[in-house]
Amino acid sequence: MTTTIQAVDDLYPTRQNTSDVIPRRDPVVHGTPEDGPFDAETLRSFEEKGYLSIDQLITPEELQLFKDELKRLAEDPAVKQDERTVVESKSDEVRSIFDIHRSNEIFSRIANDPRVVDRARQILGSEVYIHQSRINYKPGFVGKDFTWHSDFETWHAEDGMPTPRAVSISISLTDNYSFNGPLMIMPGSHQHYISAVGETPEDNHKQSLVMQGAGVPDPTILTEFADRFGIDVLEGPAGGAVMFDSNCMHASNGNVTPFSRSNVFIVYNSVENTPVEPFAAPSPRPDFLGSRDFTPAGR
């Protein structure tokens, strides 16, 4: 598909001199119950909280296949040297592997599977393409934290995504306990956009993939959000999944337990919300972080 870049108004300014809270200007759910597998109550809850849980998305056989592939990739020296692979800063263990839907046939299949794509289409009310994909390892004892952030703030500032009409799915490959660094979300925070302070450094992604710097919300505002919205800790079994809005304020603690917390993470963006030039960065991030291939998923 042709990747036409057009100029659009910046509705969500960020990385300037002040940190502000901007009310969301766009719908959360664009589709209807007739458009896919989610019923009206599930869509209403997603609109309100910004996320939903799926108890069992993949089969036990698929789960084992994915776990075997996860292990194989982590042990492959060529994969570890690839620029799409991020390693833990101290242990040198694999932290994440990006662009997995294009580099790996096994994970490409689930990224384009109707069980996943149809749900994303229903929430976003259009065809969708894959903006980003990765597998996260969060290994036992050494898996580091991901600090509080909105993915959309980064995708808007550094990739040029115009609005938060995007949804992520995290498919659990290991059990998510309260103590092994699971996803935490402030429910309802997706209705408010926090602009960050400070300019985006050149090639910021090389640092931010290991430790977030630019785009981190102001601690005072985060405290206000936590008091206002609370924090949900998303536990669940391997094989389940969580879908969440691109503007949800979320984080995860480091993993000091022996139990790894691994997942497949796929970002679907509406084909009606394709990126333009970055709104707050010198140039777009590499394609493996913010795809410029807008070919609809699952087609």
Side-chain angles (χ1 to χ4, degrees), residues 96-117:
S96 301
I97 302 173
F98 284 83
D99 210 31
I100 201 71
H101 73 287
R102 288 191 285 203
S103 66
N104 186 280
E105 182 180 352
I106 289 174
F107 292 114
S108 175
R109 289 201 297 267
I110 191 62
N112 288 279
D113 192 291
R115 288 170 293 177
V116 181
V117 179

Side-chain angles (χ1 to χ4, degrees), residues 5-272:
I5 305 299
Q6 299 175 335
V8 300
D9 292 337
D10 186 359
L11 301 178
Y12 299 95
T14 189
R15 307 203 184 174
Q16 300 178 350
N17 295 326
T18 60
S19 182
D20 299 304
V21 178
I22 302 171
R24 186 186 183 114
R25 305 178 188 274
D26 303 276
V28 177
V29 175
H30 295 256
T32 69
E34 291 71 38
D35 294 333
F38 293 131
D39 60 22
E41 175 57 27
T42 301
L43 292 177
R44 184 205 62 77
S45 178
F46 186 88
E47 176 88 30
E48 177 183 326
K49 297 194 301 181
Y51 76 89
L52 59 84
S53 297
I54 303 166
D55 290 336
Q56 204 67 33
L57 179 70
I58 58 176
T59 67
E61 292 75 20
E62 288 173 314
L63 176 60
Q64 189 58 55
L65 175 66
F66 294 166
K67 291 173 72 172
D68 290 345
E69 186 67 1
L70 197 74
K71 183 175 185 294
R72 185 192 72 79
L73 289 170
E75 295 174 349
D76 186 334
V79 170
K80 200 168 185 179
Q81 294 301 314
D82 194 290
E83 67 171 344
R84 294 168 293 186
T85 300
V86 180
V87 298
E88 296 287 354
S89 58
K90 293 185 178 180
S91 70
D92 204 40
E93 291 188 50
V94 173
R95 178 183 176 98
S96 301
I97 302 173
F98 284 83
D99 210 31
I100 201 71
H101 73 287
R102 288 191 285 203
S103 66
N104 186 280
E105 182 180 352
I106 289 174
F107 292 114
S108 175
R109 289 201 297 267
I110 191 62
N112 288 279
D113 192 291
R115 288 170 293 177
V116 181
V117 179
D118 286 353
R119 287 174 159 92
R121 288 192 191 115
Q122 183 181 14
I123 290 172
L124 300 181
S126 70
E127 291 289 342
V128 299
Y129 75 94
I130 298 173
H131 180 72
Q132 184 191 102
S133 68
R134 65 181 185 264
I135 47 179
N136 295 320
Y137 282 79
K138 193 66 90 72
F141 297 119
V142 297
K144 298 304 180 185
D145 60 284
F146 289 86
T147 192
W148 289 104
H149 65 286
S150 155
D151 287 331
F152 173 63
E153 193 280 338
T154 296
W155 301 337
H156 182 70
E158 300 185 39
D159 298 339
M161 184 181 290
T163 75
R165 192 177 175 182
V167 65
S168 301
I169 185 166
S170 175
I171 304 171
S172 300
L173 303 186
T174 53
D175 291 335
N176 284 245
Y177 304 109
S178 63
F179 45 76
N180 68 335
L183 179 66
M184 301 184 292
I185 290 179
M186 296 184 186
S189 61
H190 63 301
Q191 296 286 7
H192 307 272
Y193 176 80
I194 303 177
S195 64
V197 174
E199 294 184 356
T200 307
E202 190 77 37
D203 291 332
N204 179 58
H205 67 277
K206 293 180 180 179
Q207 173 62 31
S208 66
L209 295 180
V210 178
M211 181 174 292
Q212 187 84 8
V216 174
D218 178 82
T220 300
I221 296 177
L222 280 177
T223 301
E224 293 172 355
F225 268 43
D227 289 340
R228 178 177 179 182
F229 300 113
I231 297 173
D232 287 354
V233 179
L234 304 185
E235 301 178 71
V242 174
M243 297 186 75
F244 60 100
D245 180 84
S246 64
N247 192 45
C248 277
M249 193 56 56
H250 64 289
S252 64
N253 287 321
N255 184 11
V256 298
T257 76
F259 312 112
S260 63
R261 201 273 286 180
S262 304
N263 65 293
V264 183
F265 187 85
I266 310 161
V267 180
Y268 297 94
N269 188 27
S270 169
V271 297
E272 299 171 7

